[in-house]
């Protein structure tokens, strides 16, 4: 089943305990972000209301006793999109209540059995693939039917090998 617009919003908001994302793409070409990415790359200041709607949602989830988090895969050197997220996006998402960790796979000899597919998992039982073109343009969101056990295992591996964002960026110029 494909999810879009309000259907996606309702599906997402229905989680009871935890929403968790595996974020593997090096870049995302989301139309709503293009203007701000341009501002970032030109060295302009971040708008005061940057990502405010997401922050409101995250604060509401946390206030209701739910948690939200993700592991962000990176490979050095980071893409312009990743640098934008590390500077403008992730710190404020964390202040809103998200648990964001980084898994650096620059040294590919780590041998971690992880997928390159982006996905959200809700309450460790419902999974949604986020399908992208190679340029980072989202194609669709697709509910995964079947056993969520492989996703729980990928989440476990990612969480065990990732570090908190704040720890990862110490010493980086972001």
């Amino acid at each position: 089943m494909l999810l879009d617009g309000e259907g996606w919003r309702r599906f997402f908001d229905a989680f009871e305990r935890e929403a968790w994302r595996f974020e593997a793409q090096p870049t995302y070409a989301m139309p709503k972000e293009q203007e701000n990415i341009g501002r970032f790359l030109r060295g302009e200041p971040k708008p005061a209301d940057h990502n405010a709607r997401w922050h409101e949602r995250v604060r509401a989830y946390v206030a209701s006793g739910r948690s939200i988090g993700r592991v962000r895969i990176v490979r050095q050197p980071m893409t312009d999109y990743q640098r934008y997220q590390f500077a403008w996006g992730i710190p404020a998402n964390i202040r809103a209540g998200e648990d964001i960790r980084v898994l650096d796979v620059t040294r590919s000899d780590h041998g971690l059995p992880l997928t390159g597919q982006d996905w959200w998992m809700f309450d460790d039982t419902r999974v949604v693939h986020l399908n992208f073109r190679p340029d980072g343009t989202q194609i669709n969101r697709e509910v995964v039917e079947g056993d969520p056990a492989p996703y729980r295992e990928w989440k476990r591996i990612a969480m065990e090998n990732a570090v908190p964002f704040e720890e990862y960026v110490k010493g980086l110029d972001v």
Side-chain angles (χ1 to χ4, degrees):
M1 171 174 68
L2 297 180
L3 295 170
D4 211 0
E6 271 307 305
W8 168 236
R9 176 75 184 255
R10 282 191 303 275
F11 188 95
F12 193 107
D13 288 345
F15 76 94
E16 295 177 7
R17 295 176 314 283
E18 180 189 43
W20 190 85
R21 181 170 176 182
F22 185 77
E23 198 169 41
Q25 304 308 305
T27 191
Y28 298 92
M30 307 303 284
K32 292 179 182 178
E33 291 183 318
Q34 296 311 302
E35 185 177 333
N36 280 327
I37 293 170
R39 287 180 177 148
F40 168 76
L41 293 174
R42 290 187 299 273
E44 296 175 13
K46 179 172 79 168
D49 64 346
H50 182 265
N51 220 8
R53 288 178 54 204
W54 177 247
H55 300 150
E56 289 171 18
R57 287 179 70 190
V58 170
R59 283 190 289 273
Y61 298 142
V62 172
S64 71
R66 298 180 284 176
S67 67
I68 186 162
R70 68 182 77 205
V71 165
R72 176 71 166 108
I73 303 296
V74 298
R75 183 179 312 276
Q76 295 294 336
M78 287 193 286
T79 65
D80 286 345
Y81 182 85
Q82 289 169 332
R83 290 186 318 99
Y84 156 74
Q85 279 296 305
F86 274 50
W88 281 22
I90 294 173
N93 290 0
I94 291 170
R95 286 192 300 276
E98 243 189 292
D99 175 18
I100 301 177
R101 297 168 186 260
V102 178
L103 178 55
D104 190 322
V105 297
T106 303
R107 293 180 189 86
S108 60
D109 59 354
H110 57 71
L112 297 177
L114 295 169
T115 177
Q117 171 75 51
D118 277 46
W119 44 276
W120 278 99
M121 183 164 51
F122 303 94
D123 301 323
D124 283 337
T125 59
R126 298 178 303 138
V127 176
V128 175
H129 279 178
L130 306 175
N131 299 312
F132 294 91
R133 291 185 179 90
D135 71 353
T137 304
Q138 189 173 63
I139 300 167
N140 59 32
R141 297 175 198 95
E142 180 180 11
V143 176
V144 175
E145 302 296 335
D147 186 5
Y151 297 90
R152 287 193 295 266
E153 180 64 7
W154 288 327
K155 175 185 173 189
R156 183 192 65 74
I157 293 166
M159 291 294 287
E160 283 180 2
N161 290 279
V163 297
F165 175 79
E166 296 90 344
E167 182 179 326
Y168 184 77
V169 298
K170 284 180 185 172
L172 288 182
D173 183 25
V174 292

